[in-house]
Structure formats: structure tokens, C-alpha cells
Amino acid sequence: MEIDKRILELREVLNYHSHKYYVEDAPEISDFEYDALYRELEKLEEERPDLITPDSPTQRVGDKPLEGFKKVLHAVQMQSLSDVFSREELLAFDRRVREAIGDNTEYVVEKKIDGLSVSLIYENGVFTRGATRGDGLVGEDVTQNLKTIKSIPLKLKKQLPLLEVRGEVFISKKDFIRINEEQESAGQQLFANPRNAAAGSLRQLDPKVANLRKLDIFIFNIQRIEGESLETHSDTLDFLKELGFKVSPGYKVCQDINAVWDEINRIGDERGDIGFEIDGAVVKVNSLSHREVLGSTIKTPRWAVAYKYPAEVKETVVTKIWVN
Ligand SMILES: NC(=O)c1cnc(OC2CCCC2)nc1N
């Protein structure tokens, strides 16, 4: 087969298997088989560097550290959430929503991943820029570190002219433990929690270091989109899944605030058993047109709240005091 056809075939096959492994957690081939195909692509791209494309899996880990991070302006503000800490406050939120848009409100409840928010821009279906939330208007360009996250598709299944999505970057509980063991054996500062480890890793200037930290991400919002129109948030999450993203795990559509409260308690009960840290549950009005009616304050939407769980009692990380 000609080299250009083989390179195209390998790129598609490798991206397919990467999606099965990192997004669906349902690998179809062994790591050994994947690595053999990957090495074949690397060799062919060495022969024909003119055929390398930005969505090739070989382009995920850059080889030169950055001097610093460029500031970027978010075209759409990355809002923050107002917190509620009790059932009474949750009911007050529901009353305000129903006063504004009537009683047939549907909510979506998602786990609140305890990581850091980023936005990803795709132009003509290709990942072109990723940035931290920053203050919601100005963030930092961390594109090359985000490319190391294998569950971020470098090319979408649909070629939309423009798509900007938002997600939460996190490090799993088990990778957090591994990283701190590595930090300790390297005589480096330990990270206090997975959120700090994710933030520190995303702000690594050297993408090879970021790549070792095994960052991951859940996508939960469309910031901007051209070429598709959606009615509800649950449709949005399903659409994002079709495009190849890893979306909020186990989100639930609830018909009223009592069902929301039950879901909040169910998530709270399973918190210790899931592989990543959550610090709450996010409650969002499902209808996008209802959201328009409710609007937002300067920084937070009136159509969503974060219910925060009491901080878990956890063993603190003992920082070693070196006694000479
Ligand atoms: N940490 C999370 O898991 C999370 C954070 N934020 C949001 O919603 C944004 C989108 C519009 C206002 C807040 N959803 C989430 N699941």
C-alpha cells in the first residue's frame, strides 16, 4: 500500500483504539498491538514528515518546554457556580427557578469533579486551543499539556465549523498516590490533594512532565457552537459523547427538586467508592431556553447551583521534616 494511504489508515485506527481505551474504558486490542501500530506510524512519519497532521496520535506530546504560558481571552465567559450547603438552600433555589419559568422544570444533576476548569476550542473538527479558566475572562494557553490527555479527541467525529467546550481536568485518586510517591522519592514537594496535583501538572512548562502525570478530563458544557442547535443540557451531553468526548459520568435528569435531593444523597453515599475526587453535585436547569430566561449574575448562572458536601475526614499528608 502506498505510504500516504498507510499513514492515514494507521492514524484512524490508532485514534479509534485510543478512544475505546481512554474514553469508553473498553479496549479492543492489547497495549502491545497498539504500540506496534504506533511505532509503525512513527517510522512512516519519519520518512514522510510532510504527511504529519495535528490530529496524529504522535503529535500529543511536544518535545520542547515552553518559556511561559500565553494569556488568552475567553470569547465566552467561563462562569463559576454559586454554592448551596443544605436542603433548605436547595429548595430556595428551586423556588426562584419556578417563579421565573413555571413548575415544569427539569433538572440535570452531575458529580462536581474536584479539578480545574478548562476550555477546548475545535475549528473544523480539529483541536486548536485549550486554556485554563483563570478569572473566567482571561486564562492561560495550556494547549500542549492538554494534548497529552488521551481522552481529549484531537479530531471530532463531526466536522463542525466551530465548537468550544468546557470540562474539568483531574487526576484520579490512584494516580495521585503514585505521583506523590514519585515526588517523595525525587525529594520534591508533595501535592496536598489531587486538585493541586492536577493544577500543578497542567502548568508544567515541559509537556513530557505533564504527560507523565496522566491527567484526565470530563467535558460538561458547550461554550460556543456553530453548525448544530440543541434544546436541553442532557441532549448536549449526549451530543458531546457522540463527538468523542468523555462527558460527566452518570449524570441524571430529574423531574423535580425532590428527585434532585435523592440523587445528591445517592452521589454523596458513593463518593468514597469512585476513582476521582468530587466536592459536590451540580444541579442545572435542563432546558436551554429556560436558562436564557433565568440569565446570570456577573459571575454565576441563575440556572445552576453546586451543592457542596461536608469535607471528608481524610488522613492528612504528613510532610516529612528532615532532621539533620
Ligand atoms: N466541576 C464540575 O464538575 C463542574 C463545574 N462546572 C459546571 O458547570 C459550569 C458550566 C456553567 C456554570 C458552571 N459543571 C460541572 N459538572
Side-chain angles (χ1 to χ4, degrees):
M1 172 189 291
E2 303 97 84
I3 188 166
D4 55 343
K5 284 202 178 21
R6 182 59 179 157
I7 282 181
L8 179 66
E9 182 181 48
L10 282 167
R11 216 167 36 223
E12 313 230 318
V13 163
L14 285 163
N15 283 336
Y16 168 83
H17 286 297
S18 186
H19 176 85
K20 296 298 284 182
Y21 186 96
Y22 291 103
V23 177
E24 297 183 22
D25 194 17
E28 287 177 357
I29 59 173
S30 68
D31 294 0
F32 178 79
E33 289 167 301
Y34 183 90
D35 292 344
L37 293 168
Y38 186 90
R39 276 197 306 280
E40 183 189 349
L41 178 59
E42 274 186 318
K43 223 163 43 43
L44 293 180
E45 286 183 346
E46 248 168 66
E47 278 176 56
R48 292 290 305 276
D50 59 302
L51 294 177
I52 295 177
T53 56
D55 68 308
S56 171
T58 62
Q59 304 306 297
R60 279 191 179 276
V61 187
D63 49 16
K64 51 187 174 312
L66 292 176
E67 297 297 311
F69 295 105
K70 260 191 342 256
K71 293 281 182 209
V72 296
L73 185 64
H74 295 299
V76 171
Q77 182 193 15
M78 290 180 70
Q79 298 174 298
S80 52
L81 283 161
S82 38
D83 295 338
V84 296
F85 298 90
S86 69
R87 185 166 184 276
E88 290 63 37
E89 291 179 23
L90 184 74
L91 294 180
F93 162 69
D94 177 55
R95 255 194 311 281
R96 290 194 301 273
V97 166
R98 282 186 293 112
E99 266 155 27
I101 54 172
D103 288 345
N104 63 336
T105 27
E106 219 174 43
Y107 292 107
V108 176
V109 180
E110 301 166 16
K111 296 179 183 70
K112 186 171 181 299
I113 316 300
D114 191 8
L116 67 155
S117 259
V118 295
S119 104
L120 310 176
I121 294 177
Y122 288 77
E123 291 165 277
N124 297 317
V126 175
F127 178 45
T128 54
R129 192 195 84 181
T132 60
R133 177 178 174 277
D135 64 3
L137 294 172
V138 177
E140 291 180 320
D141 186 324
V142 287
T143 305
Q144 67 167 0
N145 285 340
L146 288 168
K147 277 189 168 181
T148 69
I149 300 179
K150 306 299 179 295
S151 62
I152 289 182
L154 296 176
K155 187 172 173 184
L156 300 177
K157 295 204 162 87
K158 275 183 83 172
Q159 188 165 331
L160 297 168
L162 174 74
L163 175 71
E164 180 171 7
V165 298
R166 176 174 176 177
E168 197 84 359
V169 171
F170 68 96
I171 287 179
S172 71
K173 290 174 182 171
K174 70 174 177 46
D175 280 325
F176 170 64
I177 291 165
R178 168 184 62 83
I179 288 167
N180 263 350
E181 283 165 357
E182 289 163 0
Q183 291 290 100
E184 187 168 21
S185 57
Q188 309 261 325
Q189 178 87 13
L190 300 188
F191 291 104
N193 55 51
R195 189 196 175 291
N196 288 7
S201 303
L202 202 53
R203 294 179 43 73
Q204 277 293 326
L205 289 168
D206 183 350
K208 285 193 285 301
V209 175
N211 187 46
L212 294 175
R213 300 289 173 77
K214 293 226 180 354
L215 290 162
D216 203 349
I217 190 168
F218 286 119
I219 302 295
F220 50 71
N221 204 54
I222 288 180
Q223 299 291 102
R224 287 186 290 165
I225 186 166
E226 281 169 23
E228 186 78 25
S229 72
L230 295 145
E231 301 285 310
T232 66
H233 179 59
S234 46
D235 291 347
T236 299
L237 293 173
D238 295 344
F239 179 65
L240 289 169
K241 201 168 181 175
E242 271 168 51
L243 289 176
F245 291 108
K246 191 174 188 176
V247 299
S248 289
Y251 62 85
K252 184 166 170 55
V253 177
C254 297
Q255 296 311 316
D256 58 38
I257 204 67
N258 295 320
V260 166
W261 182 243
D262 292 347
E263 180 62 7
I264 285 172
N265 287 302
R266 194 194 62 74
I267 293 171
D269 292 343
E270 69 166 13
R271 215 170 22 143
D273 308 332
I274 48 179
F276 47 88
E277 292 290 351
I278 62 171
D279 62 340
V282 186
V283 183
K284 301 174 177 179
V285 167
N286 198 19
S287 155
L288 299 185
S289 56
H290 282 170
R291 292 186 177 190
E292 290 292 306
V293 171
L294 283 155
S296 299
T297 67
I298 303 278
K299 281 219 162 192
T300 62
R302 289 198 187 88
W303 41 264
V305 286
Y307 177 87
K308 303 299 282 285
Y309 296 110
E312 274 179 318
V313 179
K314 300 168 83 79
E315 66 284 0
T316 50
V317 175
V318 177
T319 45
K320 292 183 177 307
I321 317 287
W322 300 112
V323 180
N324 299 322

